[in-house]
Every structure is written in C-alpha cells, then in structure tokens.
Amino acid sequence: MQLLLAVVSSGYAVGAALGWGSEELAEIMGDFGLSAAGLLAAVSCFTYARAIDSRERPAWLLFAFSSLMGCCGNAVWGWYEVVLGEAVPKPSLADFAFLCFAPPAIVGLLVLAKRPVTRAGWVCLGLDSWLIGGSLLTLSWSLALAHAARTAQSGAPGSVPRAALSLAYPLLDIALVSMVLVLHFRRSETNRSAVNTAIAALALTVLSDALFTSPLLSAEYQSGQLLDAGWFAGSLLLAYAPWGARRMHPGPGSGHDPVAHARVERPHSRPITGSLPALTPYLAAAVCTLGILYNVVDGRKVDRVVVFTGCTVVLALVIRQGIMLLDNIALTQELAQKENHFRSLVQGSSDVIMIAAPTGTLRYVSPAAAGVYGREAEELVGTELATLIHPEDLGRVVHEVRRFLAAPPAEEPTTRIECRFRSGDGEWLNVESTVNRHQGGLILNSRDVTERVRLQAQLQHSAEHDPLTDLPNRALFTRRVRQALSGRRAGDHSTAVLFIDLDGFKAVNDTIGHQAGDELLIEAARRLQDSVRAGDTAARLGGDEFAALILGDGNRDRSAREYQVHEIADRLRTTLAQPYRIAGSEVRVAASIGVAFADPGITPSDLMRNADLAMYRAKAAGKDRVEMYAPQMQAEVVRKAELAGRLRTALHDGEFALLHQPVVSLASGEISAVVAQARWRSAQGILFTPAEFLRVAEYSEGGHPAVPDASRTAELGRWLLEEAVGQAAERHRAGHDVPVAVRMTAQRLLDRSMPLGSVEALLTRNGLPSGALVLELAVSDPRVPFDDLERRLAALRRLGVLIALDGFGSGYAAISALRRLPVDMLKLDRGLVEGVVESPRLHKITAGLLRIANDLGMQSVAEGVDLPEQVMALRAMGCSHGQGMAFSGPLDEYRLRRALVRGTFPVPGGAAQPALAGGSPGGSMVIHRGSHNETPVPPA
C-alpha cells in the first residue's frame, strides 16, 4: 500500500511537471483528477468510520465530509474549464465548496485531540491554538493578507468579494494549521499511526493552499500544474490513513505488540520530542515578532491588525506562562508531599528496602536495616550485595536474578528470592526479598523470616518424626525406602528392611504402667539408633514396632549379604533384649525381627510388607528370633486370608458341622458323656478342626496376623452351644440319656454381649433335663474376675449344669480356679496325657493331680487318650474317664447313635487291644495315633 501510494503520487507529480503533454489533458487531470482523489478519500474515511465503534468515529466522518467538499470544488472547477471551456467566475460554487473543506477538518482534529481533564487544561488548549494561529496570522498579514485587504478598500467593482475570498482561504488554513500543530502535541494514544497519517495529509493540503494563495502563484496558477500534485498526494494520503495504519497493528491475539514496545521506549529514545510542547509558545512569539520586524525593516507603517494580533499573542503567552507557573508550583508541592509520604513509608517500614546498581553495589538502604540486620544503613551503602549472601545460596540467587532480568517486564514484573543474609553479629538470617527492576538495577524489599523458617523446619520435623522417641515415623521411613530403591541405588539389591517387634511389651504396660512403657520405648529407640550405621535409618512405626533400613553396599554375593544383615539383625535383637532399668526395677523384653531384601523390581510397599511377614513369622515361631523373608510366606498368608474371608460366610452358608466324641469310663468302657466339637468343611472339601479354623480367623484381610475377630468367635460359640443342646435334647427324647459337654472360655461366659440368662433360656426352650449339659470351662487368664465367674457358675449349677475345669495342669490359673470355683470334674490337659507313659516326671505330676481330684470328690477326665498304654497308666493312677482315639474319634450324629445303642467300648486290659474307631458295621478294630484322625462327615 505504501509503495503503491508513492508510485501513484510520484507519477502524478511527474505528469504535472511535464505539462501532461497537452493543455486539455492538464486541465482534466488538474480538475477531475483532484476530484477523483478527493472522492476516494471521502469514501475511504466514511467506510472506516462505519467499521469502527469508538470515540474516533465522528472525526473520520468529518474528514470524509471535508474531502467530499474538496471533491465537489474541483468538480465544479473542471465543469467550467473542461466542459464549458470558460474561466471560473469569482466567486463561484467551487469557492464555496473549498471554503467548506477546512471547518469539518478542524472539528475532526478537535475530536481526535486528547481532551483536557481540568478547566485550566481547556484554557491552555485555547491559548496554545491562538498562540500558533495568531503568530501565523501576523506573519501572513505582513506578507500577503494586508495587500488583499487594501485591495478591498479601493472600492473597485467586484474587489470586495474577491478580497474577502482571498482572505478566507488563508485564515481557514491558518486555523487548520494551528489545530494540526496543537493536535501533534496533544493527540490521543489510541490508533496513533492513523491519526499521524491524517495529520500529515491535512498538513500537505494546507501547505498547497498556502502556496496557492501567495501573491507569487495566485496570479499565474493554471490547472494541471505541479502545485496540484500536493493536493493530490494529500487526498491519497488521507484515503490511506485509516486502512494502512490498521494493517500495521497486530491483532488482539498477537503475542507481540511493537507499538507497546515503542511506547515503553519512547520516553528514553526521543527526549527532544517531549520538550517541543513547552517550546511552542516561545516559537509562536518568535514568529509573531518576525512579522512585526518585517514591517519595520520594509519601512512600512505597522498595520493595526499586526499590532492587535501581536498584543493578543503576547497576552496569551503571559497568561499561558502564568498558568504553567501555577501548575509548576502545585506540582512541586504535590511532589514534595508525595516524597515526604513515601519517605515516611520507607523509613517507617519494618521491611528493609534496598536499591542495587546494575553492578550489584547497594546505592540505598532504608533505616530499617539497623533493626533487621543489626547493621546501620550507611554501613551497607556501597557494599557489594554478593558479599552479604551466604556462599551456598549465592549461585542460586545470581541465577534467579539473571533469569528475572532477561524475562519481559510485562510478563514478570516481580520475583521472590529467599536466601541467607549476614547480620551484624556474623550470624546468618533467613531473608525473603521481593525484587523489582529499577533503571537496569534492582529494588529489593526484604524481610527477616528466620523464625518462620525455623517454625516450618520444626513442623516438618514433627510431621516426619515420632513424638515419643524422635525417630523417623512411618511416613519418613517409607520415603527413605523409596529413595533407596530409586536413583543411583536402584540396581543395588543388597538393601534390606528390618521390622522389629518387642515381645512382652504389653505385659510391661499392664504390670508397671504406661509411663514405664514409654520409658522403655525411649530406651529401646536409643539402643536401636546407636546400633545402626550412620547412613542407615531407624524408625518407630507405632506402638512397640520399630524398623530399620540397612542400605546396600553393592555386594552381589547374596549369601554373603544375607549373612551380614542377619548378623546385624541378631546384634539388634541381643541389644534390645538386654535388661532395662525402669522406675527403679529391672525389666526384660525380647525382640522378634523380620528381614526382607530389595529384590529386583520390588516396590517400597512390597518390601515393607515382606519384612512385616517375616517379623510375624518370627513371633509365631517362638519369638526372640530373626527370620528372613521367603516367598512361601506370602503364599501362605494369601491362602489363609482367602480361608478367613470364606470363614466369614461359612456359618450363614451352613458349612459348619457338629461332631461328638465319646467320653468313656476307664473302668467299664461305658459311654458317660459326649463332647461337642465343631468342624468346618471348606469349599475344597477340607475339614478344619476348631484350632485350625480359629487360627485362620486370626488373619486379617490384608494378610497380616491380627487380633482374633471376637464377633466371629462369639457367633461360632453361640452356634455350637445351640446346636449341641438341640441335638442332645433330640437324643434324650430318643432315649439316649447321655450328657453333652460344650467347651466355653471364662471370658465368653462373662461376656456382656451374651445375655445373662441365655444358657438358662436355651435349656428351657429345648427341654434338656438337669445334668444333661456339661460346660467345660477354660480359665487361662489370671485377670478373670473370679467373683463374677463364681456367681455365674453357681447360678448354672442350680439349674443342674455340670462344670468341668478344662486344661487342668497346663496353666498357672488352674489352681486359683480350682480353689475358688464350683467345679464338678477336672479335665487333664492333653500335654500331660501324651507323655504320661514315657516321662516319669509327667507321670508323677499327673498322679498328683489325680489324687487332688479324688480327694476333692471330683470326677477326672483325661483328654487325648490315644494309646492303650495311656489307658492302663491313667486307670492305674485313678483316672475315672478318658476321651481320645483309644476309644473313638469324633462321630457324626448317625454313628454316634449307633455307638450309644452299643453303649460300651472295649477297655484295654493287660495287653494293648484295638479300640472301636467309628463303629463300623463289620466291627473291625483299628489303632489310631493322634486325635486329628477324624471320621468323615457323610453328605447332608
């Protein structure tokens, strides 16, 4: 567009300079060519005005009307010269159209000007316009307009209209030039390129008008001359102004705005332009003075118009300077107030404000430095900023400052830097600084955040460490394990995790109190921390569980590494097992330790789980030992977890079966009672004994050993009691008056969830006669409240329920129970019976217990009697009854009733004889060893 504009304007100028080749063509190009250019400018400005919706729209409509007037004037001029072939009369419609060109343009320029915000600003705008216009009027009047005025006074026919017309042109042009100059210094910031181009177009037009009205050219002007090239170029430039400037601006979505960057750089790159508005009044006064001097030097009398205009220009200049003086005084006072205000803010601020030169030297430091840094501000001024920053933080700070200075200010006006700063006493303070740019340097607004950093560090430490022992907690230990399995140690599979549990810690809490338990944990943590290496991690996971992370040394020999870690674990076990001096007494605990290695591809959670499984295997194997993780441990846990999940629904699905094992008189072989036993038949068809499925029930869903599910055990106990009583009642109604024995723990009998009269209600509901129910009471916990238990058993005995003391001889609570509880019979523990033949010591112990039972008038029952030798030995010691495979295993209801019909079992005499095992039809005798060989349960 610019190139096309230059080519067309230059072509017109060359044609005009050469006379267009003929007089007719010169008249056509000088008249209708200028009319076409004006019409193009009018259409362009009008179209642009309709396309925009802003404050500039009226200005471009006025420019369009002004260009249209110029187009009409040139068209009328061409009508006379080209069409009619006559000279243009003066005045004519063309003169009227040309006179209408300047006023719309002047108003349009006023619309585009930056509007003053105060009354003084409007006054200054008018004064500046008159200063420029009056000075130009003075000079023009002295040069040419005075001659036109004298011609009008001569009174010749037609001289007055022609003189008025000759005066109107330059006066309007002077007004237009004044507005062009004023607008140049007061133009709006919006669409500046389009406004500048329009101003240039109008200035070119005014210049051509001035040349036309001068006495040298006005008399000899003809259409098509070189002067027309100025009007033609002015019209084309006005037509180009809105659209060419619009194309130079990037769109709203553009990421780069060169105009914005130009605005940012203009105050620094063009200092002279900023001072021109201040020089404008003086330049106008100088032009006015030149007009007056021209009259004086020429020897002519000074015209009254020149004197009047000059005086008004001087008066306007004085008023303008007075307003500027008042403005300067007001600005100076405001500046002083703001300076005092900001000085008070800076000096009274608790933050330290520093200004650093581009070289890093401190140029200004606020007085707050004395209170924050312990150093006077004057002492810091002139110091290199880098010398005050901690050497470990200096590289990071320099990198951040360079990055910040290289970033565009519009995108990142500020940044924040935190580093350590040297105080006056040599200590390092944690300082947080907000950094801004300042003439190539930096402004730093700094504050002391040492206490905040300390608090954050303390909170971080508290969140990652155990509050009692100050060892890393589970979260920090897990992160350390994750770090050990990643990074440069990812390929080192000799890293090991140790899980440690204190055996017997619960007894410490229960016997000497929780405060003593806490002291023991603190001492154990100290021993653990002292025993691991410097790079290893000791942690407390919770309760009496600890852990240790033993980092690998890159040893690829797995056996050697296992031996080394096992030695470390065994040393920890020995250290933790040493006596503890707590509350003036000596306390001992043991340690069960599980070890797992970081196998290839293992995750931190899996590694810790493996160590946990190994630790529980160590506890299950007898405690106070070290176990290495093996893959089968996980497989076993998975299997038991699956069984535990299946067990939860087994009762509701009817998978439990009730078997009964006969209790036989060792003297006659008669069946004196039957013992109810539950069996669980899994989906795989495997029968589990109570010991087996209750052990399975002790595993939680995650595969870790846990506290037995009390609700599940209670539900099973209720089912066993109800089934046993119900089936016993049916047998009594069928004529088999044999008591049924049901095993129940003392804790269960006193459980509050079990209604107080539940056993009584069960006997009444089923109609079981007195003496038909035997409760085998297991008392293994010395903390059982014997008073409550005694009252409960006494109430049951009044209903005819017999009480047997189960597991007698296996626990230290048995003697206390025998002494205080109402017991009808004693049931010897299986452990005594199994060794009664081989061990003389057990033989004497068993004989003594049986003598106690006989002396107290109690019946005695031996559990686990599997061999004929045991039958004879127990009978010789005075035991009255026996239960075991020497007579029969557990029987289903069908086989039990067949045995009850038979009534007796063979009792071994001198030589060992086979015992009945399930009452087969053929009466075959089979010897069974071990009480876990069971009669299969027939299909339901």
Side-chain angles (χ1 to χ4, degrees), residues 398-433:
V398 171
H399 175 76
E400 174 63 19
V401 169
R402 289 176 177 174
R403 185 203 62 77
F404 170 67
L405 293 177
E411 296 180 3
E412 190 175 5
T414 63
T415 188
R416 190 179 65 86
I417 296 176
E418 189 169 329
C419 62
R420 284 169 288 181
F421 202 88
R422 186 189 300 275
S423 65
D425 54 5
E427 295 184 357
W428 294 102
L429 303 176
N430 293 94
V431 175
E432 181 186 64
S433 301

Side-chain angles (χ1 to χ4, degrees), residues 195 206 269 351 427 446 477 505 595 629 718 757 769 815 901:
V195 175
V206 169
S269 60
D351 294 348
E427 295 184 357
S446 305
F477 184 76
F505 175 74
V595 182
Y629 171 78
R718 284 194 299 269
I815 300 299
V901 170

Side-chain angles (χ1 to χ4, degrees), residues 303-369:
D303 195 279
R304 287 177 294 178
V305 175
V306 174
V307 174
F308 177 78
T309 305
C311 291
T312 56
V313 168
V314 173
L315 180 61
L317 179 59
V318 172
I319 296 174
R320 182 71 172 84
Q321 292 302 108
I323 294 175
M324 290 182 62
L325 180 60
L326 294 177
D327 284 344
N328 289 336
I329 294 174
L331 288 175
T332 301
Q333 293 176 351
E334 183 180 359
L335 182 61
Q337 292 177 357
K338 289 184 177 181
E339 183 179 356
N340 292 332
H341 174 70
F342 286 109
R343 181 181 291 108
S344 300
L345 289 177
V346 170
Q347 293 181 352
S349 173
S350 60
D351 294 348
V352 180
I353 300 175
M354 300 182 292
I355 299 178
T359 58
T361 304
L362 293 177
R363 291 179 176 175
Y364 172 80
V365 179
S366 66

Side-chain angles (χ1 to χ4, degrees), residues 661 830 833-834 862-871 874 882-889 908 913 915 926-933:
Q661 190 172 23
R830 179 186 300 273
V833 176
E834 287 178 349
E863 184 180 5
V865 182
D866 297 336
L867 300 175
E869 294 86 348
Q870 296 172 346
V871 174
L874 291 169
Q883 170 191 346
M885 295 304 297
F887 305 103
S888 172
Q913 299 181 6
V926 181
I927 298 294
H928 296 276
R929 294 183 180 272
S931 64
H932 295 289
N933 298 327

